[in-house]
Amino acid sequence: MKKIFILTLLGLFATICIVNAQERHGRHGDRVGCEKIRHHKRPAYMVTGNTVYYKGLEIESASALTFEILRDGYAKDAWNVYYCGVKIDGASGNSFKVLGYGYAKDAWNVYYDGAGIKDASSNSFSVMSDWYAKDAWNVYYDGKKISGASPNNFKVLGEGYAKDTFDVYFDGVKIPDASANSFKVMRDGYARDTWHTYYLGRPIK
């Protein structure tokens, strides 16, 4: 009976560890745009002769002679830009740059996972880390504007947390009543301020 009880406890402990690991890494995981990370990863784009392919399907509009494979699922030729093999309407191949975390821009527009970010400023747009980015007027997370966040003093803290002068955010969502002045990130999704301890952005005491 004692042996069964110990085995049950060990099984419960292993389950809790797995769930915790999924919570820590499941928010974005190893996502790189639409390109899935596999143990044996093969390039999705292929140029051969006068033809360009994406995952075995021909990209009919692509120029094989000038085609350039970038990263995060992006590619371009002398005239067009592509995301996961699909042409991005209006994007300029001449000025297109991949910024990381799924973000990219050309001379006029900013993109996230191949879709344009409305009203984002290409001239002032920059990527920070952990899927956070900003321009002269706004802060973005996962390609979406964070309402009320100040780009002038916005700082990424790690583990999904970030802050500006007055507020703290987790995965781009404001944490109610968190103290920006005293907020500190610990590890494995935990953080604290003067009054509370947080796990994945939620107060636990």
Side-chain angles (χ1 to χ4, degrees):
M1 186 71 181
K2 184 177 179 181
K3 184 177 180 180
I4 294 174
F5 178 74
I6 292 173
L7 290 173
T8 302
L9 285 179
L10 289 173
L12 180 60
F13 178 76
T15 302
I16 292 172
C17 289
I18 292 170
V19 170
N20 285 340
Q22 289 173 340
E23 286 182 334
R24 288 199 303 274
H25 301 294
R27 293 180 293 119
H28 289 285
D30 292 321
R31 180 184 65 80
V32 182
C34 57
E35 309 267 346
K36 302 293 185 181
I37 300 297
R38 297 187 177 96
H39 181 63
H40 297 291
K41 187 183 177 185
R42 297 175 175 86
Y45 289 100
M46 174 62 67
V47 181
T48 175
N50 295 319
T51 307
V52 181
Y53 298 93
Y54 180 80
K55 291 188 174 179
L57 299 177
E58 181 180 351
I59 306 175
E60 295 183 358
S61 61
S63 165
L65 184 63
T66 61
F67 197 83
E68 182 181 352
I69 301 170
L70 305 174
R71 56 193 173 105
D72 291 4
Y74 292 101
K76 68 178 183 178
D77 59 25
W79 297 277
N80 298 305
V81 180
Y82 305 87
Y83 179 73
C84 298
V86 177
K87 185 171 75 173
I88 303 175
D89 289 338
S92 166
N94 289 333
S95 60
F96 192 85
K97 297 179 180 179
V98 178
L99 306 175
Y101 291 96
Y103 293 98
K105 70 177 184 178
D106 60 19
W108 298 277
N109 298 297
V110 180
Y111 306 89
Y112 180 73
D113 282 358
I117 301 178
K118 186 179 178 180
D119 298 328
S121 167
S122 176
N123 288 336
S124 61
F125 195 89
S126 63
V127 173
M128 291 177 278
S129 60
D130 290 355
W131 289 269
Y132 287 98
K134 67 179 181 178
D135 61 19
W137 295 276
N138 296 295
V139 180
Y140 304 85
Y141 178 79
D142 222 15
K144 300 178 180 64
K145 187 187 301 182
I146 303 175
S147 179
S150 170
N152 292 332
N153 40 45
F154 195 88
K155 182 179 181 182
V156 179
L157 305 175
E159 296 283 332
Y161 293 99
K163 70 176 184 178
D164 57 22
T165 302
F166 302 105
D167 297 308
V168 181
Y169 306 86
F170 179 76
D171 281 2
V173 178
K174 180 180 173 181
I175 303 175
D177 301 323
S179 167
N181 286 335
S182 61
F183 197 88
K184 303 288 184 184
V185 174
M186 300 162 73
R187 52 180 287 186
D188 297 330
Y190 288 92
R192 61 182 172 84
D193 62 16
T194 302
W195 295 277
H196 296 98
T197 298
Y198 302 86
Y199 178 65
L200 298 181
R202 300 186 299 270
I204 57 176
K205 71 174 183 177

